Amino acid sequence: MDISILDLAPVPQGSDARAAIASSIALAQAAETQGYARYWLAEHHNLPGIASAATAVLIGHIADHTKRIRVGAGGIMLPNHAPLAVAEAFGTLATIHGPRIDLGLGRAPGGDGAVMRALRRGMSRNDDFPNDVVELLSYLGPERPGAPVAAHPGQGTNVPVWILGSSLYGASLAAALGLPYAFASHFAPNDLDEALRLYRTRFEPGPWGQSPRFMLAANLVAADTDAAARKLRTSQQQSFYRLRAGTPGKLPPPVDDLDSVVPPQFQPMVDSLLSVSAVGGPEAVKAQLDALVARYQPDELILTGNIWDPEARLRSFAIGAEVMGLSRP
């Protein structure tokens, strides 16, 4: 089973986007040596704690600083972009870097109404998502003689396309098109079981896939001891609470007393949404990841973890690679 990393390029309090991107490069390079299969980055906008807004640009930068690991989007929010522009961007990446580039597509806007207006896109474009996906696939596929528009670069690169989702909608679309599917269980686990059942039972083989391929996303916060990992996790808990409260910011440092920064009445909600997680020392993390794999039987597992200290983040993913027995290239 392939195991990968999803990175939001978190910007810690006291730092800046330049340092966050440098930390992402260091993590991608370490992931490559540790045997992780993919390194994906996600599109979000208007969030000072995330440095991956220009996702295709950052994917190219990460690919420039690595050699073998697959690099891609987890994902590009397609309603924000014209399919042709996405095909040209990822076709260019594939032309430069060869068959190392992945393209995950999401239907969410990656921001609020103000962001949509700033991007000159309308929320109604969500309704065009299935047609936009098919159009994008056609631009990346074989040459279409007589087609009025072609992606140059892009045509013939056959960049692998994944559908991302946190609801039954994405599962249904991925199944209907015969595409691989990644579920955002790391922050929205409520529909996970039903989405996975729907995807696997309704999958239709086609030119983009002959059998279902499911990727499970999970949070990973690992340290040398359980107590150290639980403290590291408080950064993510604070960040998630602030986002839900409408006051997002840079990734806060960990605290000893979570009650002092997140009201206790909100903590069950935060912990429920972050429930697909592995938190603790090596033994605890292995047991939790093994349990997730046994329950959902994913074809791939993608791990993410917003940790304030870049060195602690590196250590967390190193522990993940060790306990999951990844083979080093």
Side-chain angles (χ1 to χ4, degrees):
M1 182 181 65
D2 284 339
I3 302 178
S4 302
I5 291 177
L6 171 63
D7 181 18
L8 302 184
V11 184
Q13 284 184 13
S15 187
D16 57 23
R18 184 182 183 89
I21 291 170
S23 294
S24 290
I25 292 171
L27 179 57
Q29 291 173 332
E32 183 169 68
T33 67
Q34 291 158 358
Y36 283 98
R38 309 176 194 270
Y39 195 91
W40 280 6
L41 297 131
E43 177 185 351
H44 294 277
H45 299 283
N46 199 33
L47 294 175
I50 294 177
S52 56
T55 315
V57 175
L58 193 51
I59 287 169
H61 193 54
I62 295 291
D64 282 338
H65 287 80
T66 53
K67 297 178 181 179
R68 296 176 300 274
I69 194 169
R70 300 191 65 85
V71 187
I76 291 294
M77 301 299 107
L78 191 54
N80 297 341
H81 311 277
L84 176 62
V86 176
E88 290 171 339
F90 279 79
T92 300
L93 288 168
T95 300
I96 295 170
H97 299 289
R100 298 173 54 203
I101 303 300
D102 295 325
L103 174 55
L105 299 174
R107 181 171 173 259
D112 58 14
V115 166
M116 297 296 289
R117 289 190 291 273
L119 290 169
R120 304 298 191 267
R121 312 299 280 179
M123 293 296 289
S124 62
R125 283 199 53 79
N126 288 3
D127 299 333
D128 297 330
F129 185 66
N131 292 329
D132 285 351
V133 172
V134 172
E135 181 180 347
L136 175 54
L137 288 166
S138 72
Y139 291 137
L140 294 172
E143 181 179 355
R144 298 172 298 145
V149 178
H152 301 293
Q155 180 178 277
T157 56
N158 296 300
V159 173
V161 172
W162 291 69
I163 297 295
L164 315 182
S166 59
S167 68
L168 305 185
Y169 182 95
S172 298
L173 180 62
L177 295 179
L179 290 170
Y181 179 57
F183 192 88
S185 36
H186 60 298
F187 72 88
N190 291 343
D191 289 332
L192 170 58
D193 292 270
E194 180 61 17
L196 178 53
R197 185 200 65 78
L198 188 155
Y199 172 64
R200 284 176 168 160
T201 57
R202 297 188 182 178
F203 184 88
E204 294 288 342
W208 302 294
Q210 292 301 304
S211 60
R213 188 162 189 84
F214 170 68
M215 181 187 287
L216 177 72
N219 297 290
L220 173 68
V221 184
D224 293 322
T225 67
D226 291 349
R230 286 194 296 268
K231 181 174 180 179
L232 290 176
R233 191 191 189 206
T234 62
S235 293
Q236 187 178 34
Q237 291 167 306
Q238 294 176 71
S239 180
F240 208 82
Y241 165 69
R242 293 179 183 181
L243 179 63
R244 289 299 173 117
T247 57
K250 292 184 177 181
L251 185 66
V255 295
D256 292 312
D257 180 15
L258 186 63
D259 291 352
S260 66
V261 288
V262 178
Q265 65 269 29
F266 291 103
Q267 291 179 26
M269 177 270 293
V270 171
D271 290 341
S272 175
L273 294 171
L274 299 176
S275 61
V276 180
S277 298
V279 182
E283 290 186 5
V285 161
K286 177 171 174 52
Q288 293 167 61
L289 290 176
D290 285 347
L292 287 171
V293 170
R295 176 174 178 179
Y296 295 107
Q297 297 291 305
D299 301 288
E300 299 195 26
L301 180 66
I302 190 163
L303 304 174
T304 187
N306 287 343
I307 296 174
W308 181 77
D309 179 358
E311 291 301 319
R313 188 166 77 130
L314 283 168
R315 178 62 181 147
S316 179
F317 284 107
I319 291 172
E322 291 166 7
V323 301
M324 297 304 288
L326 296 188
S327 59
R328 297 169 182 267

